[in-house]
């Protein structure tokens, strides 16, 4: 197998570092060049666009077996006190992922936990409304990482996803005041920018990897895993689109888990249930109000709709309740 190595010296490279944006632009350009040269090598021609069908099997190598890591070093705000939102970039990534990925199903998580031997031994079967036991069960699983690695693929991905969701919540709840600085218009711009890029990032799960995880290590060197993404989740991201604008609609809130921020609602003109999620940075302010509104037949809410390719809503991101 031909081996091509790109070697950098001087400037940042002399300190064993590269500017992440410049390195990414270089890697993108080099990848397009190599793929097209490989196409020319084989066929005497090359495609203008590189798609899943026309892509070639040039690989990125690693120094360790079993996984691949890319680590970037992001400078803190020059003057933290004057920054628009005084939080690390990883926290802003969590803010975006909370909205683009949504939340996993409570029923799926309970079903998997009810088959986990240690959870059943310590807590028994978890009831539908028992949020506290659900949280304790996930803490038990998280402390026994080897058990999770040894579990079957379905159980592993369900639990890994929920544990990453809880980690995002731990990151975002203490910085709610900072995140409140992001108004509705700014959120819309953020999601319009980020959603297609997250979908583009998800292409690495076509053939390169089964899962991708993102860790933030900016706080006391402790690794906080705020993203777990597998191929099935990635497909949802790729085929779905988050509305650029927030919509105000009347709904009937049928179910809500105040621990996870996951629930179900019914539109005023429909009998079908649609899942919704409340982002972790908003959950503290909205939970009590949502629980109260469940007693009413109709509630006026502000949501971002997530739609499939047919433009039908598949889930909603609840970001506010309107007083009438």
């Amino acid at each position: 197998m031909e081996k091509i190595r790109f070697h950098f010296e001087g400037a940042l490279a002399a300190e064993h570092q590269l500017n992440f944006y410049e390195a990414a632009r270089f890697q993108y350009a080099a990848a397009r060049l190599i793929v097209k040269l490989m196409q020319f090598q084989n066929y005497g021609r090359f495609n203008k666009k590189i798609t899943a069908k026309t892509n070639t099997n040039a690989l990125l190598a690693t120094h360790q077996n079993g996984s691949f890591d890319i680590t970037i070093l992001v400078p803190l705000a020059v003057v933290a006190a004057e920054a628009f939102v005084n939080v690390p970039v990883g926290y802003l990534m969590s803010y975006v992922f909370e909205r683009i990925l949504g939340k996993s199903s409570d029923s799926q998580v309970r079903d998997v936990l009810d088959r986990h031997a240690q959870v059943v031994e310590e807590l028994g079967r978890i009831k539908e409304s028992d949020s506290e036991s659900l949280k304790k069960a996930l803490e038990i699983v998280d402390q026994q990482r080897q058990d999770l690695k040894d579990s079957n693929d379905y159980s592993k991905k369900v639990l890994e996803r929920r544990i990453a969701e809880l980690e995002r919540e731990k990151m975002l709840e203490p910085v709610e005041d900072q995140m409140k600085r992001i108004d509705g218009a700014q959120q819309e711009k953020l999601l319009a920018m980020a959603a297609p890029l997250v979908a583009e990032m998800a292409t690495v799960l076509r053939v390169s990897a089964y899962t991708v995880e993102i860790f933030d290590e900016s706080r006391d060197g402790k690794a906080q895993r705020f993203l777990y993404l597998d191929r099935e989740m990635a497909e949802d991201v790729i085929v779905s689109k988050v509305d650029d604008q927030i919509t105000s609609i009347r709904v009937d809130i049928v179910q809500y888990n105040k621990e996870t921020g996951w629930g179900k609602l019914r539109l005023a003109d429909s009998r079908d249930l649609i899942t919704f999620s409340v982002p972790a940075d908003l959950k503290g302010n909205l939970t009590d109000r949502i629980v109260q509104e469940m007693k009413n037949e109709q509630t006026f809410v502000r949501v971002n709709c997530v739609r499939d390719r047919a433009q039908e809503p598949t889930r909603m991101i609840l970001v506010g309740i309107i007083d009438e």
Side-chain angles (χ1 to χ4, degrees):
M1 197 169 188
E2 183 178 4
K3 184 176 182 180
I4 299 173
R5 181 164 66 97
F6 299 101
H7 179 68
F8 304 89
E9 285 190 358
L12 288 174
E15 302 297 325
H16 311 295
Q17 300 172 3
L18 293 177
N19 177 276
F20 185 50
Y21 180 77
E22 291 180 357
R25 290 291 297 267
F26 169 84
Q27 186 170 303
Y28 177 72
R32 290 183 64 84
L33 175 63
I34 289 173
V35 168
K36 292 190 175 189
L37 289 178
M38 291 175 69
Q39 291 174 348
F40 187 83
Q41 178 188 45
N42 285 307
Y43 308 111
R45 64 184 186 278
F46 54 85
N47 298 86
K48 184 178 180 179
K49 293 184 177 180
I50 299 173
T51 66
K53 291 183 178 179
T54 61
N55 191 13
T56 56
N57 198 31
L59 305 176
L60 197 60
T62 183
H63 297 294
Q64 297 181 359
N65 294 326
S67 64
F68 194 98
D69 283 3
I70 295 175
T71 300
I72 63 172
L73 304 175
V74 181
L76 299 175
V78 178
V79 183
E82 297 178 5
F84 174 63
V85 280
N86 186 16
V87 298
V89 170
Y91 287 56
L92 286 173
M93 293 179 72
S94 292
Y95 176 95
V96 168
F97 289 132
E98 271 288 290
R99 287 151 175 80
I100 293 175
L101 298 180
K103 302 290 181 71
S104 52
S105 164
D106 289 339
S107 59
Q108 284 182 319
V109 176
R110 282 198 312 273
D111 289 345
V112 170
L113 289 172
D114 283 342
R115 296 194 295 270
H116 191 284
Q118 188 171 349
V119 169
V120 174
E121 181 181 346
E122 294 190 26
L123 301 175
R125 303 283 177 179
I126 299 174
K127 298 178 181 179
E128 183 174 341
S129 58
D130 193 349
S131 299
E132 189 61 32
S133 291
L134 185 65
K135 185 176 181 179
K136 289 180 180 178
L138 288 166
E139 290 173 352
I140 292 171
V141 172
D142 196 24
Q143 292 168 1
Q144 302 293 326
R145 302 299 296 173
Q146 189 58 49
D147 289 349
L148 191 54
K149 291 179 181 179
D150 293 341
S151 61
N152 66 61
D153 289 341
Y154 173 77
S155 297
K156 181 179 186 297
K157 71 180 184 180
V158 168
L159 296 178
E160 291 280 24
R161 178 177 182 179
R162 175 52 64 85
I163 290 170
E165 290 169 5
L166 291 175
E167 197 65 24
R168 284 202 298 272
E169 185 173 323
K170 290 178 184 177
M171 291 174 66
L172 291 172
E173 281 188 341
V175 295
E176 283 183 8
D177 289 342
Q178 289 291 321
M179 295 307 186
K180 286 178 185 176
R181 298 182 180 184
I182 303 173
D183 62 26
Q186 290 168 323
Q187 177 187 290
E188 290 170 8
K189 290 179 180 179
L190 267 179
L191 294 184
M193 173 277 293
L197 296 180
V198 174
E200 186 71 19
M201 290 167 62
T203 59
V204 75
L205 297 176
R206 289 176 178 171
V207 296
S208 294
Y210 295 121
T211 63
V212 60
E213 299 168 279
I214 303 180
F215 296 82
D216 187 290
E217 298 181 346
S218 57
R219 191 179 71 178
D220 301 326
K222 180 183 177 182
Q224 296 175 282
R225 185 185 62 167
F226 61 88
L227 176 72
Y228 171 85
L229 190 67
D230 60 30
R231 289 180 173 179
E232 184 177 346
M233 293 170 63
E235 184 62 25
D236 289 339
V237 172
I238 292 169
V239 303
S240 300
K241 183 181 184 300
V242 182
D243 280 356
D244 294 342
Q245 295 184 336
I246 294 173
T247 303
S248 298
I249 56 173
R250 294 187 184 279
V251 301
D252 175 16
I253 301 175
V254 177
Q255 179 182 345
Y256 181 66
N257 185 320
K258 60 184 181 181
E259 189 69 42
T260 64
W262 184 92
K264 292 182 180 181
L265 57 79
R266 182 182 290 111
L267 300 180
D269 57 354
S270 174
R271 303 182 100 186
D272 297 331
L273 293 177
I274 297 178
T275 62
F276 74 90
S277 61
V278 178
D281 53 285
L282 298 177
K283 191 158 65 70
N285 290 327
L286 288 177
T287 289
D288 289 344
R289 181 69 185 277
I290 291 172
V291 173
Q292 182 66 30
E293 291 294 332
M294 289 177 66
K295 301 174 184 177
N296 301 326
E297 291 186 3
Q298 295 290 314
T299 302
F300 205 24
V301 298
R302 301 176 73 238
V303 299
N304 280 105
C305 289
V306 182
R307 303 180 187 274
D308 59 20
R309 286 176 173 168
Q311 294 302 304
E312 293 295 323
T314 57
R315 64 179 177 87
M316 296 186 176
I317 308 163
L318 196 154
V319 296
I321 295 176
I322 301 173
D323 293 318
E324 295 185 83

